[in-house]
Amino acid sequence: MRSAFRTVSAKIPEELFDRLREAADRNERPMSWIIRQALQNYLDEDEAVDRGPLARPVALTGEANTQPADYSDWLATIKTRVVDARERAVLAANAELVRLYWQIGRDILERQAQQGRRANVVDRVARDLHAAFPGTRGFSRENLKYMCAFAEAWGADIGQSPVGQLPWGHNVLLLTRLEDPAERLRYAELAIAGGWSHSTLEANIRDKLLDR
């Protein structure tokens, strides 16, 4: 299961992935802000490595005079590609986390259907996951119940659904504040298009934005 968390681990170090997930769960800022911060932290770490004792700049005689006139533009293109690639990796990490929660919720629902709700599947899974992954957040009894509700609300694969692109906290808000699946989907689409923070999504639901 740990590998499901880290599909993009080759692109994002573990500590950055954890910071990203915590920021997304808190939903204090729009997802676009979270992405920029995560990428900047990653770039800063790369630069620190480049400045390490083993990184020795190579001095080239007459380098400043021999650079082609278009070098700056060419380098800017490479930097843009690096940032774009890392942004896609961050988005993939968020989507993978939400998909994992959906899968866990679906699996628990299937197990409850087989054994009955008196089997205390949620309590047992919460306890065992905490034991298997000490220090990993997200496996509380309450959050597991949200995973079940999430899987029940979106029975089909969420891979191409807007809810699969939202931070987990946004999805919990949609589940707890809205009952109509069509409304949930529409607010999810608007949140993605507008880069809404958790508080903005909450305010728009409270103010019944779709009824205006």
Side-chain angles (χ1 to χ4, degrees), residues 21 130 133-137:
R21 184 175 61 187
H130 275 297
F133 304 102
T136 299
R137 302 174 61 183

Side-chain angles (χ1 to χ4, degrees), residues 22-30 34 167-170 197-199:
E22 290 173 3
D25 285 344
R26 287 197 306 270
N27 297 292
E28 296 174 349
R29 297 293 185 92
I34 296 170
W168 177 241
H170 284 58
S197 66
H198 182 274
S199 59

Side-chain angles (χ1 to χ4, degrees), residues 87-161:
E87 181 173 334
R88 289 194 298 271
V90 170
L91 290 171
N94 175 74
E96 185 66 20
L97 177 66
V98 173
R99 179 172 173 78
L100 172 65
Y101 284 177
W102 174 81
Q103 289 174 328
I104 292 174
R106 180 198 59 188
D107 291 347
I108 291 176
L109 290 175
E110 291 178 353
R111 178 70 58 151
Q112 286 179 334
Q114 296 170 1
Q115 300 182 358
R117 294 189 179 274
R118 291 186 178 181
N120 295 324
V121 177
V122 171
D123 291 343
R124 185 182 308 165
V125 172
R127 181 179 64 250
D128 291 343
L129 287 179
H130 275 297
F133 304 102
T136 299
R137 302 174 61 183
F139 294 138
S140 66
R141 181 175 182 272
E142 181 181 14
N143 208 38
L144 287 175
K145 287 187 173 182
Y146 284 138
M147 294 178 202
C148 293
F150 185 61
E152 193 169 27
W154 307 102
D157 194 326
I158 63 169
Q160 301 302 318
S161 172

Side-chain angles (χ1 to χ4, degrees), residues 4 60 66 103 113 157 185 188 208 212:
L60 300 179
T66 59
Q103 289 174 328
D157 194 326
L185 183 59
K208 300 184 182 300
R212 294 179 186 174

Side-chain angles (χ1 to χ4, degrees), residues 31-49:
M31 191 61 188
S32 58
W33 180 89
I34 296 170
I35 291 170
R36 286 197 301 271
Q37 292 300 310
L39 292 177
Q40 187 58 57
N41 288 341
Y42 198 4
L43 289 171
D44 289 346
E45 289 169 3
D46 284 351
E47 290 174 0
V49 171

Side-chain angles (χ1 to χ4, degrees), residues 5 7 18 57 66 104 160 179 182 191 198 206:
F5 266 114
T7 296
D18 291 340
T66 59
I104 292 174
Q160 301 302 318
E179 295 184 2
H198 182 274
R206 182 181 63 246

